[in-house]
């Protein structure tokens, strides 16, 4: 029987999606967001969007915080089984559509210096490094890690 590929459903996310986001956080981050982080973000009216598979299971998402005319990317993650299939690229394209709707001038993000994979994704999407934040992230063994700050004009 022929297998018909279906595109994932793109949708806005809210409090009801936090459990599924927490599952993905545990899979893909050394220092995952907590329930409190997501709750605070939604209470602050940050917008989140993601992809669901045909079983309605969330497998990728991003969260945005508006700061004046700039949008700040707070989090972007693709579930472990779904990585390397172009979903980050698709999510970022949706993020650009969202930025255009909001008439944002630019998108800003931070990424761990060691997160070469994500840095590559952002560079390919047109982001450039604009600076570093020293010791921004918690790291292994009670140490801290620098963040690279990247921006893309809309
Ligand atoms: C970083 C992350 C979002 C990438 O998601 P993804 O869906 O695997 O990425 P894509 O498949 O869309 O790949 C996009 C680009 O990433 C790069 N890439 C993908 N897999 C890679 C790998 N294993 N090594 C290096 N670069 C890779 C490629 O440049 C690819 O470009 P291409 O389409 O021209 O080949 C995903 O690995 C993830 O969720 N990581 C954990 C959370 C995280 O680090 N988020 C970023 C926080 S700032």
């Amino acid at each position: 029987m022929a297998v018909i590929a279906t595109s994932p459903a793109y949708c806005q996310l809210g409090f009801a999606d936090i459990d599924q986001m927490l599952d993905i956080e545990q899979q893909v981050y050394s220092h995952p967001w907590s329930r409190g982080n997501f709750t605070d973000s939604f209470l602050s009216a940050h917008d989140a969007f993601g992809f669901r598979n045909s079983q309605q299971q969330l497998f990728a998402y991003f969260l945005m915080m508006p700061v004046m005319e700039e949008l700040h990317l707070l989090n972007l993650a693709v579930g472990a089984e779904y990585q390397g299939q172009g979903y980050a690229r698709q999510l970022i394209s949706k993020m650009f559509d969202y930025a255009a709707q909001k008439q944002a001038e630019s998108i800003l993000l931070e990424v761990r210096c060691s997160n070469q994979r994500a840095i590559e994704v952002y560079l390919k999407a047109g982001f450039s490094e604009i600076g570093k934040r020293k010791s921004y992230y918690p790291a292994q063994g009670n140490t801290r890690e620098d963040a690279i700050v990247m921006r893309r004009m809309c």
Side-chain angles (χ1 to χ4, degrees), residues 10-82:
Y10 179 67
C11 48
Q12 183 151 17
L13 307 177
F15 290 101
D17 299 297
I18 292 178
D19 282 344
Q20 290 189 67
M21 295 166 103
L22 287 172
D23 281 349
I24 296 170
E25 289 284 311
Q26 292 295 331
Q27 291 168 22
V28 302
Y29 280 118
S30 57
H31 294 77
W33 272 31
S34 65
R35 184 176 298 281
N37 293 142
F38 282 110
T39 304
D40 288 349
S41 199
F42 285 128
L43 286 174
S44 305
H46 301 160
D47 281 331
F49 299 88
F51 288 133
R52 296 187 200 282
N53 65 17
S54 53
Q55 280 87 49
Q56 296 307 306
Q57 211 180 359
L58 183 71
F59 67 86
Y61 53 84
F62 66 90
L63 282 101
M64 305 297 286
M65 173 174 71
V67 184
M68 310 292 282
E69 69 288 346
E70 189 158 69
L71 287 172
H72 198 149
L73 174 62
L74 298 177
N75 193 338
L76 181 147
V78 175
E81 285 176 38
Y82 291 84

Side-chain angles (χ1 to χ4, degrees), residues 106-146:
S106 56
I107 301 174
L108 187 87
L109 63 85
E110 285 100 11
V111 55
R112 283 179 189 268
C113 282
S114 62
N115 195 347
Q116 202 47 51
R117 184 168 182 169
I119 293 167
E120 189 71 27
V121 170
Y122 296 135
L123 287 173
K124 282 201 176 168
F127 286 85
S128 318
E129 178 173 341
I130 58 162
K132 283 212 169 70
R133 296 196 207 282
K134 289 295 281 176
S135 305
Y136 187 73
Y137 292 109
Q140 298 283 336
N142 246 352
T143 60
R144 309 282 304 178
E145 179 175 1
D146 297 347

